[in-house]
Amino acid sequence: MSQQAAGPQGRPSAPRPYTLRRSRRARRITVRVDPDRGLIVTIPARGTVAEAERALRELDGWIAPRVAALEDRRRRAADSAALGLPYLGRVLELRPEPGRSRVRRDGDALLVPEDAAQRGAALTAWYRARARAEAAPRLEAAVAAIGARYSRLRITDTRTRWGSCSSTGTISLSWRLVLAPEACLDYVVWHEACHLVHPHHGPTFWALLQEHVPDYREPSAWLRARGTDLRLLIPA
Ligand SMILES: [Zn+2]
């Protein structure tokens, strides 16, 4: 029998903080570094914490640089959020006000709750409302231009998808899109609107999108490259 360093509960100590998930579908232990949730270990239904922590130690060489990169991105996001938050390509300065519970925009400033704990939720609510206000007319225009119909616009909190289009014609858009430059919001609205006509990523889909958004590659590349950093700006 081998001996291992024991943690406070008498089990081997984990090398770093992590979230443990149990999955009935998991056949083996998997480890990933999620941009929003950090280090996640998924174990099968009958897996043990000791097994999870053993996997963490064995994979630490793979984990360490990824966690360091994520922490670096979070730090940069927090630094830039202290200066202001992006809104469709502008930067709105954050002005904490005593007694304020909701966010209000005043020119190039956002008046926000003084209490940091309230601020995240208040900002999310404000950005969410703005996302609907900005996306709805764009979607109406896009849908009218291509002669399609949609049933509903949903503003979502999805972290891994900017938008989607269901078979029943519901267009879903992440509120975080208004943190991106305006061209990115336009691109995703058009992308999903084109799915109303072509529910796939075949050549006819891209041809229709290109017809209406000739330079769509630029915002698409921007979202791929910088999207994760956007998601870190307002921790929910
Ligand atoms: Zn698509």
Side-chain angles (χ1 to χ4, degrees):
M1 250 177 86
S2 66
Q3 287 280 314
Q4 280 173 322
Q9 276 87 45
R11 51 181 157 82
S13 54
R16 56 182 82 249
Y18 68 98
T19 301
L20 184 69
R21 282 204 185 141
R22 242 170 243 283
S23 161
R24 251 180 255 164
R25 283 174 305 157
R27 300 252 167 266
R28 57 194 174 84
I29 298 177
T30 56
V31 174
R32 69 192 173 93
V33 179
D34 180 272
D36 303 301
R37 295 171 178 87
L39 182 58
I40 298 174
V41 186
T42 305
I43 60 174
R46 289 165 185 277
T48 65
V49 172
E51 284 166 348
E53 298 196 347
R54 194 179 317 131
L56 283 178
R57 280 190 299 275
E58 281 167 11
L59 293 171
D60 198 57
W62 179 90
I63 294 166
R66 284 163 179 81
V67 168
L70 175 61
E71 279 168 0
D72 191 46
R73 265 148 72 195
R74 280 190 172 148
R75 227 178 349 259
R76 273 187 284 125
D79 285 352
S80 63
L83 300 172
L85 284 174
Y87 179 79
L88 296 178
R90 320 169 73 113
V91 175
L92 304 179
E93 179 204 343
L94 296 191
R95 254 185 240 154
E97 280 193 341
R100 172 165 285 286
S101 61
R102 302 176 67 158
V103 172
R104 191 168 73 78
R105 182 174 173 183
D106 179 12
D108 277 339
L110 285 181
L111 312 179
V112 297
E114 198 178 36
D115 174 24
Q118 275 185 24
R119 205 177 299 153
L123 280 166
T124 302
W126 186 81
Y127 271 91
R128 239 192 135 100
R130 290 311 307 158
R132 178 169 291 280
E134 294 283 356
R138 286 171 167 84
L139 181 59
E140 293 291 344
V143 161
I146 57 180
R149 293 172 80 168
Y150 74 102
S151 52
R152 190 159 87 89
L153 169 62
R154 275 176 69 223
I155 299 299
T156 66
D157 188 37
T158 45
R159 287 159 181 271
T160 50
R161 299 182 81 178
W162 296 108
S164 65
C165 175
S166 81
S167 58
T168 57
T170 296
I171 303 276
S172 302
L173 300 170
S174 170
W175 64 261
R176 289 181 173 79
L177 275 168
V178 282
L179 289 163
E182 202 167 357
C184 294
L185 173 64
D186 287 334
Y187 159 69
V188 177
V189 166
W190 274 101
H191 182 120
E192 301 313 333
C194 289
H195 276 320
L196 292 165
V197 182
H198 302 296
H200 53 71
H201 288 125
T204 50
F205 166 80
W206 294 112
L208 180 63
L209 181 59
Q210 174 131 40
E211 195 183 305
H212 294 281
V213 192
D215 53 357
Y216 73 84
R217 282 183 185 83
E218 216 174 296
S220 163
W222 195 100
L223 284 172
R224 263 199 309 278
R226 312 258 315 266
T228 302
D229 293 352
L230 283 188
R231 276 152 51 195
L232 297 173
L233 282 172
I234 307 175

